[in-house]
Amino acid sequence: MVSLVRGANYAIMAASFCPSLPHHFKPTPIVKFPQSSFSFKVFSSQSSPADETPTRVGFLGLGIMGSPMAQNLIKAGCDVTVWNRTKSKCDPLIDLGAKYKPSPGEVAASCDVTFAMLADPESALIVACGEDGAARGMSPGKGYVDVSTVDGPTSKLINGQIKETGALFLEAPVSGSKKPAEDGQLIFLTAGDKSLYEKVAPYLDIMGKSRFYLGDVGNGAAMKLVVNMIMGSMMTSFAEGLLLGEKVGLDPSVVVEVISQGAISAPMFALKGPSMVQSKYPTAFPLKHQQKDMRLALGLAESVSQSTPMAAAANELYKVAKSHGLSDSDFSAVIEALKVKLKD
Amino acid sequence: MEEIGFLGMGIMGKAMAMNLLRHGFKVSVWNRTLSKCDELKEHGASVGESPAAVIKKCKYTIGMLSDPAAALSVVFDKDGILEEICSGKGYIDMSTVDAETSSKISEAVQKKGGSFLEGPVSGSKKPAEDGQLVILAAGEKGLYDEILPAFDVLGKKSFFLGEVGNGAKMKLVVNMIMGSMMNAFSEGLVLADKSGLSPKTLLDVLDLGAIANPMFKMKGPSMIQNNYSPAFPLKHQQKDMRLALALGDENAVSMPVAAAANEVFKKARSTGLGDLDFSAVYEIFKATEPST
């Protein structure tokens, strides 16, 4: 892959001075900021020229998703600095060569581009804008890429705080759970600063199999919520079918097989069906997060005055499953919500 | 192989009978509206004037009717199957009906000495034309083994699921999931559009991930162009939802999402979308205007 620019800065900074911005980096910087001279080098399996200064990549949040994503960056040769609320989660990454800083702000300050992968809007907001948050370490020339799944308003709030520091912002929630994260097969649904998108594209390509740029901040969040809303409803329908099949005397494994042969054959069904049939729900995507996404999707629908009976019905089942203590199980555990049991 | 009778020249029956003819089977057809048999006749099929006449001529007869009422009618009405079915003959009902209807037909056929197999299919018009149906058979294993050469032409995979009723139930379970999925899909497309996203981009994103499936891929593009030419009429999909819910009712199985989906299909039928493809349910999510 090609080295993009030498000694360039984020020309977007010029936005406050001149309205017309280049959309790509030019070899000669337009406005020079002393502390922002650096070059971008795209890391890949091909070796990099020794004289290039590598981009320093920060990674905040090392949960189910963040950990494998950061690992893929490290394995690809990137210079990675990590932070996680529970420090011990950083250890495997540090063993692989990552650096560590004790707060999001310090990570951001020591890096050129910082990724964040948090579990929900509340955490995303705290990590970005809280005390010692990433925004503290942001400055012109830097970029913040939030790959958490949040609602539009939260994303816009984070965008505002980051942009205020002079840095760039990209929302970039992903489609794909644990295994795609491990395999570098995620789908990025990005929106925000186009130039930051172009800059981090090589990193997205390490962590993922495809990426979309969807325009203004909020569009990436919305797309992610729509996708997960459909997925959440599909999972509950599948669960209903498996349970009905079982109750009327069919072999649920055969139900899964029949589905895999027809028009509604989906990877999710083939993957989760067999374990659901055995009442096993190994966590790839925690049920509490799926329910969070349903709730946010319902909020989005409400904000545009759209009736969503399917998502509403599905959401109820996720809520019931949560009340049965299944928050940390895989979201396929929602099938348990259909099996009614009386309290002892 | 022996000559095969075929009752019901609708969207599915016509495509399936044509497929058998193309593969060298001798076929005798019947349809309530006889003119629907003309094209088959041109391709070499003989035409029977009643279900009984077809049964009389053929060792094996397949029925492909639109709903339980039609399926019962070709069996029990005057000039129906029962008048000519006897030992040595088999009736294979590939209609999608409830388990009770299937059992009723099975019992009546067997009482006359005939063999019975239910064989509802998963797949609509195009898979029927291409011989890519998934056949969910149940009933007499012997008849299943004998009719398999025809099944292998009609479909890409056949299942033998045991006793009569199991095929019907399997079909209803699958179509229930499908109907709910079409609703969820429509709901998502509308939300994307209302949120300022491109529905086409949503289709692209869905096609890359864990919930990609042939139905979304096939129907999505025509839906966003408001094209609902019927491969599977909405009224039949709603019929299947209704039968699946009834099955759930009988067995006290909780199915809130399917119930929600059924409501939307009902609404669609009440606004006159029944004869369009079931993907026309999208129209209901798009715009529900208050009545003035």
Side-chain angles (χ1 to χ4, degrees), chain B residues 201-231:
Chain B
T201 305
L202 175 60
L203 294 183
D204 292 340
V205 173
L206 289 173
D207 204 42
L208 289 165
I211 55 175
N213 61 90
M215 179 174 84
F216 286 3
K217 198 179 175 106
M218 206 169 34
K219 307 258 181 207
S222 32
M223 282 163 74
I224 61 184
Q225 288 174 31
N226 307 331
N227 176 2
Y228 310 111
S229 70

Side-chain angles (χ1 to χ4, degrees), chain B residues 155-236:
Chain B
K156 62 173 173 174
K157 194 156 166 90
S158 300
F159 290 83
F160 182 74
L161 300 166
E163 57 180 29
V164 167
N166 284 355
K169 290 170 185 170
M170 182 64 83
K171 173 63 190 284
L172 291 180
V173 166
V174 173
N175 270 31
M176 177 194 88
I177 299 172
M178 183 167 84
S180 290
M181 270 173 70
M182 178 51 80
N183 271 276
F185 183 45
S186 301
E187 200 170 77
L189 280 170
V190 174
L191 183 56
D193 188 48
K194 287 204 161 151
S195 305
L197 303 171
S198 148
K200 172 71 175 62
T201 305
L202 175 60
L203 294 183
D204 292 340
V205 173
L206 289 173
D207 204 42
L208 289 165
I211 55 175
N213 61 90
M215 179 174 84
F216 286 3
K217 198 179 175 106
M218 206 169 34
K219 307 258 181 207
S222 32
M223 282 163 74
I224 61 184
Q225 288 174 31
N226 307 331
N227 176 2
Y228 310 111
S229 70
F232 182 35
L234 189 141
K235 65 189 178 192
H236 295 325

Side-chain angles (χ1 to χ4, degrees), chain A residues 245-270:
Chain A
E246 193 192 2
K247 292 281 177 193
V248 299
L250 300 175
D251 179 346
S253 301
V254 179
V255 175
V256 174
E257 203 194 330
V258 170
I259 288 170
S260 76
Q261 293 291 323
I264 56 170
S265 169
M268 178 174 84
F269 294 161

Side-chain angles (χ1 to χ4, degrees), chain A residues 14-154:
Chain A
S16 45
F17 303 101
C18 58
S20 63
L21 322 160
H23 286 285
H24 52 275
F25 281 102
K26 296 191 170 147
T28 318
I30 295 159
V31 181
K32 263 192 176 349
F33 287 82
Q35 71 268 47
S36 63
S37 291
F38 59 89
S39 68
F40 275 92
K41 177 67 180 84
V42 174
F43 280 84
S44 67
S45 48
Q46 287 125 32
S47 56
S48 45
D51 59 338
E52 299 269 358
T53 320
T55 304
R56 299 160 301 166
V57 180
F59 211 107
L60 314 172
L62 301 174
I64 293 176
M65 298 296 287
S67 186
M69 290 167 79
Q71 282 186 44
N72 280 335
L73 291 174
I74 297 169
K75 284 177 196 163
C78 300
D79 175 338
V80 178
T81 306
V82 299
W83 169 87
N84 191 65
R85 191 175 54 179
T86 311
K87 202 219 167 225
S88 57
K89 289 258 179 84
C90 298
D91 295 342
L93 283 305
I94 295 168
D95 287 344
L96 283 171
K99 296 188 278 240
Y100 170 80
K101 289 280 181 200
S103 73
E106 287 168 88
V107 170
S110 70
C111 293
D112 305 305
V113 172
T114 300
F115 289 90
M117 186 44 133
L118 290 322
D120 49 45
E122 296 72 32
S123 326
L125 205 51
I126 291 171
V127 165
C129 312
E131 208 179 303
D132 300 325
R136 295 254 162 191
M138 284 288 155
S139 54
K142 293 184 189 290
Y144 190 66
V145 183
D146 200 336
V147 296
S148 321
T149 296
V150 303
D151 55 305
T154 298

